[in-house]
DNA sequence: GCAAAAGTGTTAGGTGTACACCCATGA
DNA sequence: TCATGGGTGTACACCTAACACTTTTGC
């Protein structure tokens, strides 16, 4: 039974917009699709979905990410909420934006076609509908700030990855070259990587050792209040 | 005319919760009130209000801040959005939290009584309704991070203030003492303060020079991409 | 044997941090 | 004259950023 005071209030459509990011061959990719309904049907849009009464915000995001990628349990983070009166050309919609970092190797290609979705190179994303370009820019600011302090980048890599891959990821996030000796030193100091026996020979003859991210050690560091900076 | 696709979606009550902060005599204060309706009538709550169709989010925040303080044009910043299914005991409400920094000297006392609102010392705020303690904690994290890089603290001070006042503010935000020589050095390097002729003699016999915040110089620095850190 | 990427240490400069004394004034 | 808070400079530790060569191996 809804209390009286609430019933006097106005109600709104609430959506989530998902900035789904992946990383492959030294480049960051954004998942976008052609909008499937009017207004602006056919234009490029971020992935999104409407909030339902039986879902929390993060459950809606999980549902949307799962629908389009087939992946569960992704790393996600709230970016912000966009509520200008006319931001959505169709109706008043308050939208909460989240970014999600996923391992592109786990991605289900068939869902891509089903939804008219595609991975677009992040640096060359063109015009998106509504305020989605603004949302994307806000996301990148947050991601850059966040990635400088916490090793969230691991969420964009497969379970086993090489140091040069990790470095290329950070170079893609910051759009700037990084000195590899300094980078390795920093990463080693953190002591959250586990060197594997085998090497990745796909990008060089010599091959680069694989590493795994050690979540336990990472959590321990966080407990101690340790704070990284790259 | 609402497009068909939207009409099939569910709608929600949307509110804003405002963390209204002030600073006085070396201490930070939070504006809270007794809730005026059920459920949980009479319990301590953050200031809030429901979103209306003719308002953007920030307009709702401005309205709420104005209703309770009589102040317009406050510095505000979005904290995040809280959307768990049962976070509000009365109904499903999605709430967007903003913090606002105000100059307590401009505050209208009469509105306080009218709304059963009061300034509560931030360090001693007790239990608040719903997830408001969580929201408050998230706010303080954001405020501390933000204040380290940008001189947003000026929004909590009157137009004319002294360096010891400014330092006390930062000590209150970080809950830690700061070396005054180092603090002055940092502030001077920024070169965004204008020394006044007159002194504040209220807290010492010698008196401390007043300063004003120079917004033009500050904006210039931001343009250049300059980045502070305290 | 050579091209191409992986891997490895050192140094100089700058930044943050700790620290102690004199000054101005009202009571 | 003394108690109180305002105001000032320096030295050391640490961190950041710049820099070049050797190793491995498939072709």
């Amino acid at each position: 039974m809804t209390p009286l005071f609430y019933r006097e209030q106005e109600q709104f459509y609430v959506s989530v917009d998902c900035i789904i990011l992946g990383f492959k061959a030294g480049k960051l990719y954004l998942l976008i699709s052609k909008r499937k309904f009017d207004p602006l049907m056919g234009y490029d849009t971020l992935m999104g979905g409407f909030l339902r009464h039986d879902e929390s915000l993060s459950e809606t995001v999980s549902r949307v990410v799962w629908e389009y990628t087939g992946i569960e349990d992704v790393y996600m983070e709230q970016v912000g909420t966009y509520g200008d009166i006319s931001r959505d050309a169709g109706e008043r919609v308050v939208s909460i934006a989240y970014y999600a970092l996923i391992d592109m190797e786990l991605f289900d290609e068939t869902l891509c076609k089903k939804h008219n979705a595609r991975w677009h190179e992040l640096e060359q994303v063109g015009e998106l509908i509504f305020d989605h370009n603004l949302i994307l820019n806000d996301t990148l600011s947050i991601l850059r700030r966040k990635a400088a302090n916490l090793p969230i980048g691991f969420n964009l890599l497969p379970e086993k990855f090489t140091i040069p891959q990790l470095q290329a990821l950070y170079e893609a996030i910051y759009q700037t070259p990084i000195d590899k000796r300094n980078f390795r030193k920093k990463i080693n100091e953190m002591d959250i990587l586990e060197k594997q026996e085998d090497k990745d020979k796909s990008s060089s003859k010599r091959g680069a050792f694989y590493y795994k991210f050690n979540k336990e050690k990472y959590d321990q560091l966080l407990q101690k209040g340790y704070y990284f900076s790259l």
Side-chain angles (χ1 to χ4, degrees), chain A residues 36-227:
Chain A
K36 284 176 281 190
F37 47 87
D38 269 320
L40 296 179
M41 179 153 52
Y43 286 83
D44 284 337
T45 174
L46 294 173
M47 303 295 146
F50 281 91
L51 179 65
R52 298 176 185 164
H53 280 289
D54 61 354
E55 287 174 332
S56 67
L57 295 171
S58 52
E59 282 166 356
T60 307
V61 178
S62 296
R63 170 168 60 82
V64 170
V65 170
W66 176 80
E67 276 174 11
Y68 290 99
T69 67
I71 305 176
E72 297 183 74
D73 292 326
V74 300
Y75 176 88
M76 66 174 79
E77 196 90 32
Q78 196 180 104
V79 172
T81 296
Y82 298 79
D84 282 353
I85 296 174
S86 303
R87 57 168 292 283
D88 186 314
E91 244 293 347
R92 176 78 193 266
V93 178
V94 174
S95 187
I96 297 112
Y98 279 78
Y99 69 86
L101 305 182
I102 74 165
D103 172 4
M104 282 176 78
E105 288 191 2
L106 305 176
F107 175 72
D108 184 342
E109 284 286 350
T110 63
L111 290 168
C112 223
K113 283 162 192 155
K114 184 173 152 200
H115 290 99
N116 257 326
R118 64 189 194 281
W119 288 103
H120 198 294
E121 212 176 297
L122 183 63
E123 292 310 310
Q124 287 162 30
V125 167
E127 202 183 337
L128 304 172
I129 63 165
F130 304 161
D131 50 5
H132 287 191
N133 289 96
L134 170 65
I135 295 175
L136 180 58
N137 286 334
D138 290 350
T139 300
L140 297 180
S141 301
I142 290 175
L143 182 64
R144 290 192 179 111
R145 189 176 40 65
K146 190 105 185 170
N149 294 322
L150 300 165
I152 57 177
F154 297 107
N155 297 288
L156 286 159
L157 293 170
E159 196 194 352
K160 280 166 47 175
F161 53 87
T162 67
I163 304 277
Q165 268 181 298
L166 184 62
Q167 180 175 342
L169 169 58
Y170 275 86
E171 289 176 332
I173 291 175
Y174 291 107
Q175 284 291 296
T176 181
I178 300 172
D179 181 279
K180 62 180 174 176
R181 279 172 290 190
N182 294 336
F183 183 79
R184 279 168 187 270
K185 197 192 309 170
K186 259 279 149 51
I187 294 291
N188 279 330
E189 277 167 8
M190 289 186 189
D191 190 33
I192 48 175
L193 292 193
E194 279 173 2
K195 193 171 184 172
Q196 307 300 116
E197 299 287 311
D198 49 340
K199 285 182 167 186
D200 166 32
K201 296 221 166 194
S202 66
S203 66
S204 79
K205 289 147 191 168
R206 177 176 177 177
F209 279 104
Y210 279 118
Y211 288 79
K212 283 187 181 178
F213 176 54
N214 184 325
K215 186 135 179 42
E216 285 75 41
K217 283 194 181 172
Y218 166 61
D219 287 336
Q220 282 169 26
L221 284 183
L222 280 193
Q223 301 291 316
K224 283 190 245 166
Y226 189 89
Y227 223 59

